[in-house]
Amino acid sequence: MSRLSERPAAAVVGQAVRHESAALHVTGRALYTDDLHPRTKDVLHAWPVQAPHARARVTGLRVRPAYAVPGVVRVLTAEDVPGINDAGVKHDEPLFPSEVCFHGHAVCWVLGESLEAARRGAVAVEVDYEPLPSIITLAEAIAAESFQGAQPTVQRGDAEAALARSSHVFHGELELAGQEHFYLETHAALATVEDDGRLFVQSSTQHPTETQEIVAHVLGLRNHEVTVQCLRMGGGFGGKEMQPHGYAAVAALGATLTGRPVRLRLNRTQDLTMSGKRHGFHARWRVGFDDAGLLQALEATLTSDGGWSLDLSEPVLARALCHVDNNYWIPDVRVTGRVARTHKTSQTAFRGFGGPQGMLVIEDILGRCAPLLGIEPHELRRRNFYEDGQTTPYGQVITQAERVQRAWDQVAEDGDLARRRAEIAEFNATHEHLKRSVAVTPVKFGISFNLTAFNQAGALVHVYKDGSVLVNHGGTEMGQGLHTKMLQVAATTLGVLPEIVRLAPTRTDKVPNTSATAASSGADLNGGAVKDACEQIRERLAHVAAQRLGVPAPDVRFSGGVVSGLGTEHTLPWADLVHSAYFARTQLFAAGYYRTEGLHWNSTVMRGSPFKYFAHGVAATEVEVDGFTGAHRTLRVDIVHDVGDSLSPLVDVGQIEGAYVQGAGWLTLEDLRWDTGDGEHRGRLATASASTYKLPSFSEMPPVLNVTLLERAHEEGAVYGSKAVGEPPLMLAFAVREALRQACAAFGPEGTSVDLASPATPEAVYWALQEARAGHDPEVEAGPGPTPPEADPAAPTRHPESESALQHLSEA
Ligand code: MTE
Ligand code: MOS
């Protein structure tokens, strides 16, 4: 056991405690960024002037009429920017654009004494637009070769040759839709000017350091002149990893120009129409199997829809390419990725960060090919699982293959799958218009930022004279329970009761140069740093205790708020020791630091060992589909998931449940639609409210949702033997999509291969089962596959956002 992973007896980590702010959340006393403005004197409110074109040149901008509106204080335009007019780190996101790049793009902002005054002021601003041709769909972008950023390839062996050798070769396409974050709290910022032009910006941000840097560069300040604080977020899900910066910068600019605090909070429609979403992807692929159904080769091109600017599209794409294998050994691989530039919101991080999109490609392939190979889908999946010692296509060695196998077996057993499969067969045989199916899918998800430098974190821990402990760390709390886990880590390391530990809001002047709280690595990284800081304090206190207890310092023990020594009955209460340590002039605070060892990654050739470890899980999902309407419901879900030795089991189970449901929403309900026509609303987000964008709600909750944490799962390489949990379980939801595919197939003859659009909305499921009914000839020809044609943008479509998803799987 490593020092990092070793867990003392009676540890506070591992206890099933509730979220540290649970009582505040449910009573409404928890403060979020936008709760601060009513407490802020003289605050101004900001409202955007949103462009009504997908793409247009701004040829005239007259702000004067806005000033005639009572209560309007200031209109912010590009000319007001003292620093760099850019809201991103890629220098491709002008904060005040001269060219509109998506429908709803903010060209300027109005500040008012009230929100209503700002809104009316924005209506009064006169803008002249010269509309320009736009690209809305991925198919249009591919046809026009409208791409941005790098085009990396993950490659091993010779995929062409291996395809030529394979006895079964298939090719196909998949278009999968994006997803709206729909965090409960929309983007929000509150900026205040302090003396000497320094700024204090409160922001709902997963990445306070980068928000600080962008505010500084827009205002032409140094980083030490800007402090960013994030109290907590009402959800981020990746949507607040890079996109809060511009809003914070607008508020900060407004505060600087007016000398008054500025509050900016997007209403729901503004948030939906202005902020980025999960990337939709298009995939074109060829795959080869041997006679036993073992994967031989995969050749694919993944194109993501980046929207108007790069934002995080390149790292999202890299993660997609690194997850196209999911948990399957594929000897020869060549997968190329590219980012399309379209005139839509700039798509961004979303729970899984490209991993879900990459993995969906291989799961779709296996689901479509299993009937053509005459192998049960669950059997085809299991046969292709990794074994220890094999490597991923990018070269990382697999060491915990046994865990997926164990989770798989446990799901089969706990979920009573053999019996239920027989029952389902019976049910389907006796029900003409209702079909059921159960599917099982695995998850293997890499933990660490692909970019090695981000894998570091800091903490600042204070012990006050009364023994109470205040923990600052670089991570942000967005509901995921990071603060709860850090509280448990600090209490464990210091050997104190959790009641005397508090977490402070995240601030850039407490811990500098932080990474985004993202990639599920918040607890690993900040946990390592908090532990380091607490260990320093504990060491110093051990010397004071040694004198008082009459034992050598290494023999002092801290546990449960009591300090004891080996070989003595005498003990000291924690607070007592701290008090005397202060008078003995002992430093009672410490800065902690952690960096993940053993990572290496070459992003140019896409090779290395970018991940500290993999998180694993398996889900089984049973669904029922109505043959008249395609309406479907989930009957039961069984999950076994690997979180290492859990730091906080209630938090982890909650993360797994929430992630599964969020994944199921992405794959089966949520349906982003943009106006793709040539009319005046081209490019407009048609699903710009909760009434048109269907989120999972209580009525979609599976009536049975069993979540079990995998046992014997100690993780050597992470704090107190735990593993990251935030993102990986989202991909457990592949099971619901595969179950729907199988239920559709049950409407057709034996061996039917079903192409299912993503999202598999009732409409899409209806079309899929109609095709199954029509009968699909599963005959397979052996031999090498032809090079597939480029995606045909003019191909007939049933679903505007996933035209090729319904295209038949073609045989070689
Ligand atoms: N859980 C809640 N309740 N709210 C969120 O916004 N974000 C997810 C996940 N779980 C999120 C969440 C995402 S995208 C990530 S990367 C992780 O939490 C980030 O937190 P962690 O690194 O502390 O796990
Ligand atoms: Mo999570 S998508 O890495 O913020």
Side-chain angles (χ1 to χ4, degrees):
M1 226 177 259
S2 65
R3 266 193 75 219
L4 180 64
S5 74
E6 193 181 345
R7 203 175 265 207
V12 178
V13 292
Q15 292 179 12
V17 300
R18 64 180 177 217
H19 191 285
E20 138 279 345
S21 289
L24 299 182
H25 290 160
V26 298
T27 56
R29 285 181 295 130
L31 284 183
Y32 295 83
T33 299
D34 202 51
D35 292 326
L36 302 172
H37 81 86
R39 310 169 167 218
T40 308
K41 196 169 170 293
D42 295 336
V43 69
L44 295 174
H45 306 258
W47 194 278
V49 175
Q50 292 186 262
H53 300 284
R55 185 169 169 230
R57 197 167 293 124
V58 178
T59 53
L61 180 61
R62 290 174 297 281
V63 301
R64 186 176 286 272
Y67 286 100
V69 175
V72 167
V73 172
R74 180 86 201 217
V75 183
L76 304 175
T77 68
E79 279 150 35
D80 297 314
V81 176
I84 301 167
N85 179 20
D86 198 285
V89 293
K90 292 278 173 185
H91 298 284
D92 63 349
E93 288 184 38
L95 188 58
F96 300 96
S98 54
E99 182 178 314
V100 170
C101 291
F102 63 96
H103 200 288
H105 204 163
V107 293
C108 64
W109 291 78
V110 179
L111 306 181
E113 297 284 356
S114 66
L115 196 58
E116 182 59 10
R119 187 189 69 78
R120 291 164 53 128
V123 173
V125 170
E126 295 172 5
V127 192
D128 301 327
Y129 298 102
E130 178 195 331
L132 299 169
S134 61
I135 290 172
I136 304 301
T137 67
L138 256 178
E140 288 167 1
I142 291 170
E145 297 193 20
S146 168
F147 300 118
Q148 53 187 334
Q151 301 197 356
T153 298
V154 170
Q155 182 162 13
R156 168 172 60 200
D158 185 343
E160 277 305 323
L163 282 168
R165 283 195 307 269
S166 299
S167 24
H168 306 274
V169 178
F170 308 102
H171 71 265
E173 288 183 45
L174 169 70
E175 191 159 331
L176 56 104
Q179 183 178 21
E180 168 55 44
H181 300 87
F182 234 105
Y183 24 60
L184 285 179
E185 177 206 24
T186 53
H187 280 288
L190 174 68
T192 316
V193 188
E194 304 191 319
D195 64 357
D196 207 16
R198 290 178 302 129
L199 278 155
F200 183 55
V201 184
Q202 312 238 26
S203 169
S204 181
T205 175
Q206 287 175 245
H207 200 346
T209 286
E210 206 168 74
T211 303
Q212 172 197 27
E213 289 165 354
I214 297 293
V215 168
H217 97 177
V218 168
L219 292 178
L221 298 174
R222 291 184 202 275
N223 290 342
H224 70 186
E225 293 169 295
V226 179
T227 297
V228 172
Q229 168 166 291
C230 177
L231 292 175
R232 57 164 60 77
M233 282 164 278
F237 303 114
K240 294 173 182 169
E241 209 178 314
M242 193 164 268
Q243 309 233 334
H245 313 332
Y247 306 116
V250 168
L253 176 65
T256 302
L257 293 176
T258 62
R260 293 172 61 178
V262 172
R263 163 236 183 181
L264 185 163
R265 182 186 72 86
L266 302 184
N267 66 26
R268 184 61 66 183
T269 306
Q270 289 164 345
D271 197 293
L272 290 168
T273 55
M274 292 166 72
S275 72
K277 304 164 197 328
R278 185 190 292 285
H279 292 74
F281 270 61
H282 172 271
R284 184 165 51 81
W285 51 267
R286 287 187 297 156
V287 67
F289 295 91
D290 72 5
D291 284 324
L294 294 179
L295 284 158
Q296 300 299 304
L298 175 68
E299 189 275 322
T301 301
L302 270 51
T303 310
S304 76
D305 185 345
W308 74 281
S309 71
L310 264 180
D311 185 272
L312 287 162
S313 295
E314 287 174 307
V316 164
L317 179 68
R319 188 166 274 270
L321 296 185
C322 289
H323 282 80
V324 85
D325 57 333
N326 192 6
N327 190 53
Y328 308 107
W329 162 243
I330 317 172
D332 292 82
V333 179
R334 183 183 158 81
V335 184
T336 295
R338 50 195 189 179
V339 180
R341 187 198 298 279
T342 57
H343 297 103
K344 299 213 280 268
T345 52
S346 185
Q347 315 315 13
T348 191
F350 195 141
R351 207 171 194 170
F353 203 84
Q357 293 95 320
M359 284 155 68
L360 185 57
V361 173
I362 191 73
E363 292 300 338
D364 188 68
I365 289 172
L366 294 176
R368 286 160 85 170
C369 294
L372 304 178
L373 292 163
I375 302 173
E376 290 289 334
H378 62 97
E379 173 57 21
L380 181 64
R381 289 193 163 87
R382 198 200 52 78
R383 259 184 223 181
N384 280 289
F385 280 0
Y386 273 119
E387 286 169 17
D388 278 357
Q390 291 175 330
T391 52
T392 63
Y394 48 89
Q396 178 148 358
V397 181
I398 299 292
T399 61
Q400 296 180 335
E402 167 270 338
R403 292 196 183 191
V404 187
Q405 190 62 57
R406 200 144 50 82
W408 185 268
D409 293 343
Q410 194 181 336
V411 162
E413 194 167 318
D414 296 354
D416 211 357
L417 293 188
R419 179 184 58 79
R420 282 165 59 211
R421 284 202 179 96
E423 281 174 12
I424 288 167
E426 173 71 24
F427 179 93
N428 288 350
T430 51
H431 291 76
E432 195 187 341
H433 301 295
L434 279 180
K435 300 291 178 192
R436 291 183 179 173
S437 186
V438 61
V440 204
T441 54
V443 168
K444 171 186 117 294
F445 188 83
I447 299 299
S448 296
F449 288 96
N450 271 69
L451 186 82
T452 307
F454 289 170
N455 297 291
Q456 57 174 320
L460 181 60
V461 175
H462 300 332
V463 176
Y464 292 98
K465 276 183 276 180
D466 65 351
S468 64
V469 180
L470 188 68
V471 177
N472 293 274
H473 63 88
T476 55
E477 175 61 40
M478 58 194 99
Q480 87 278 38
L482 178 60
H483 281 355
T484 312
K485 289 183 170 180
M486 295 304 96
L487 192 159
Q488 291 178 273
V489 166
T492 300
T493 313
L494 292 171
V496 299
L497 297 172
E499 293 78 39
I500 66 158
V501 184
R502 289 209 72 154
L503 268 289
T506 315
R507 289 174 65 117
T508 56
D509 58 356
K510 289 281 171 50
V511 180
N513 309 326
T514 54
S515 299
T517 306
S520 305
S521 60
D524 279 11
L525 298 176
N526 296 290
V530 168
K531 184 166 183 281
D532 176 38
C534 292
E535 279 169 351
Q536 296 172 40
I537 297 170
R538 198 187 59 198
E539 291 305 308
R540 292 182 205 133
L541 286 172
H543 287 280
V544 181
Q547 285 189 340
R548 290 192 54 189
L549 295 171
V551 298
D555 288 355
V556 175
R557 295 290 176 271
F558 297 80
S559 183
V562 178
V563 185
S564 57
L566 297 182
T568 170
E569 294 292 293
H570 192 45
T571 61
L572 293 168
W574 162 263
D576 190 4
L577 172 64
V578 167
H579 190 74
S580 54
Y582 168 77
F583 281 99
R585 293 190 293 173
T586 307
Q587 187 187 337
L588 291 174
F589 59 97
Y593 179 76
Y594 175 77
R595 64 164 171 251
T596 318
E597 299 296 344
L599 308 177
H600 53 96
W601 179 243
N602 181 333
S603 61
T604 314
V605 294
M606 298 288 283
R607 286 201 75 76
S609 279
F611 305 121
K612 183 69 184 173
Y613 57 81
F614 294 99
H616 310 101
V618 171
T621 301
E622 182 179 349
V623 297
E624 183 180 284
V625 168
D626 176 331
F628 291 113
T629 60
H632 48 75
R633 60 194 182 104
T634 296
L635 303 176
R636 173 168 172 176
V637 179
D638 291 274
I639 290 169
V640 175
H641 195 80
D642 167 22
V643 296
D645 291 338
S646 175
L647 287 178
S648 197
L650 279 185
V651 166
D652 284 347
V653 169
Q655 283 289 292
I656 295 165
E657 291 171 346
Y660 177 90
V661 171
Q662 194 167 39
W666 170 47
L667 294 169
T668 67
L669 295 170
E670 301 176 39
D671 198 357
L672 285 168
R673 301 276 184 125
W674 279 269
D675 189 331
T676 55
D678 283 332
E680 58 170 326
H681 298 307
R682 177 170 170 79
R684 189 179 61 101
L685 181 67
T687 47
S689 71
S691 61
T692 45
Y693 187 76
K694 177 70 188 110
L695 290 162
S697 52
F698 281 118
S699 46
E700 282 79 25
M701 278 297 287
V704 183
L705 173 52
N706 297 321
V707 174
T708 309
L709 303 180
L710 184 72
E711 287 174 12
R712 285 172 284 125
H714 181 80
E715 176 54 44
E716 267 299 308
V719 62
Y720 289 128
S722 65
K723 275 188 180 182
V725 70
E727 299 164 285
L730 181 131
M731 289 147 269
L732 294 168
F734 293 142
V736 67
R737 180 166 188 272
E738 293 309 310
L740 288 171
R741 183 200 310 281
Q742 293 167 203
C744 289
F747 285 93
E750 182 90 10
T752 300
S753 170
V754 170
D755 300 354
L756 189 59
S758 192
T761 56
E763 182 187 348
V765 167
Y766 177 75
W767 289 120
L769 69 88
Q770 279 292 77
E771 272 191 41
R773 273 180 181 143
H776 189 100
D777 181 5
E779 189 188 316
V780 172
E781 267 178 72
T787 304
E790 282 291 328
D792 177 4
T797 89
R798 289 236 173 71
H799 181 304
E801 288 303 315
S802 53
E803 33 266 68
S804 43
L806 286 164
Q807 217 166 284
H808 271 255
L809 178 83
S810 323
E811 292 149 18

